[in-house]
Amino acid sequence: MRTEAAQRVELVFSLFDANGNGVIDSEDFDLMTNRVLEAAVASDSDAKAAIRTAFRRYWTTLATELDANGDGVITVDEFRPFVLDPERFGPTIAEFADALAALGDPDKDGLIERPLFVSLMTAIGFEEPNIHALFDAFGPDAEDRITVATWAAGIEDYYAPDMAGIPGDQLVAARAV
C-alpha cells in the first residue's frame, strides 16, 4: 500500500468514528448520515434516500467483512487492510461515490457548486482548507463548479491502494486554517 493511501485510510477511520469512541459502529454511520442530510437541504427525497442507503451499505459491508467476533464495532486495525481492498469494498465505494456526488447536484445539471461541496464535505468531517484544496484540484470551471462524474471518480480514487498524486490527497495534507 502506498504511503498516501495509508494516510487516507487513517483519516477515513477518524471521520467514520463520528462519536469519537475509538471504534466504528452503527451509531457512527447514523450520526454521519444525519449530518450529511442536514447539509443537503435542497436535494430531493430520492437523492437523500440514495445516500442513506449508501451509508447503510457501507456500515453493513464493514460489519459483515470485519466484525468476526460479532461485537458490533470495527477497530482501526480491522479497518486498515479492508477499506483499500477493491475486491472486497469496490462496489460499496462506487455506490457511496455515486450517491454523495448526486447529493451535491440538487438541480440535476451535472454540476456541483463549491458552497454545497464544502457543506457536504464539512458534514462528513473534513477540514475546510483541505476541502477547498480538493475542489481546486478537481479543476473547477469559470463558474466555480465541478462535474458530478469528477467528484464520483475522485471518491473512488481516494480508496485505491495504488493511487498517489490524486486530488483526494489534498484531504490529508496539513493546511493552515
Side-chain angles (χ1 to χ4, degrees):
M1 176 185 329
R2 298 186 67 103
T3 301
E4 296 87 343
Q7 292 170 332
R8 294 189 304 259
V9 167
E10 298 299 319
L11 177 59
V12 168
F13 185 87
S14 71
L15 298 175
F16 281 171
D17 181 16
N19 62 13
N21 67 353
V23 295
I24 301 173
D25 55 36
S26 180
E27 179 184 325
D28 291 314
F29 279 83
D30 293 340
L31 290 169
M32 187 174 291
T33 300
N34 290 335
R35 289 192 322 234
V36 169
L37 289 173
E38 286 174 15
V41 294
S43 295
D44 65 27
S45 59
D46 288 343
K48 290 177 181 178
I51 196 65
R52 185 176 277 112
T53 298
F55 270 121
R56 181 59 35 209
R57 180 175 179 192
Y58 211 132
W59 167 248
T60 301
T61 302
L62 286 175
T64 300
E65 293 286 332
L66 299 180
D67 190 15
N69 65 0
D71 65 356
V73 300
I74 307 299
T75 66
V76 70
D77 290 333
E78 292 170 320
F79 186 77
R80 279 184 190 117
F82 170 71
V83 75
L84 294 180
D85 184 343
E87 297 293 319
R88 296 169 78 188
F89 204 60
T92 299
I93 293 297
E95 178 184 358
F96 178 76
D98 290 343
L100 184 59
L103 199 66
D105 182 23
D107 60 5
K108 300 186 187 317
D109 65 354
L111 298 168
I112 300 166
E113 290 79 17
R114 185 184 298 257
L116 183 52
F117 180 86
V118 171
S119 293
L120 292 170
M121 294 293 282
T122 300
I124 291 171
F126 292 103
E127 297 291 328
E128 190 165 337
N130 297 60
I131 296 167
H132 285 287
L134 172 62
F135 195 86
D136 291 340
F138 282 146
D141 67 13
E143 295 179 42
D144 210 24
R145 305 171 301 185
I146 60 170
T147 67
V148 169
T150 296
W151 193 14
I155 294 168
E156 290 188 52
D157 287 349
Y158 189 86
Y159 288 91
D162 57 343
M163 300 288 276
I166 61 170
D169 288 337
Q170 299 301 315
L171 294 172
V172 295
R175 305 224 177 265
V177 178

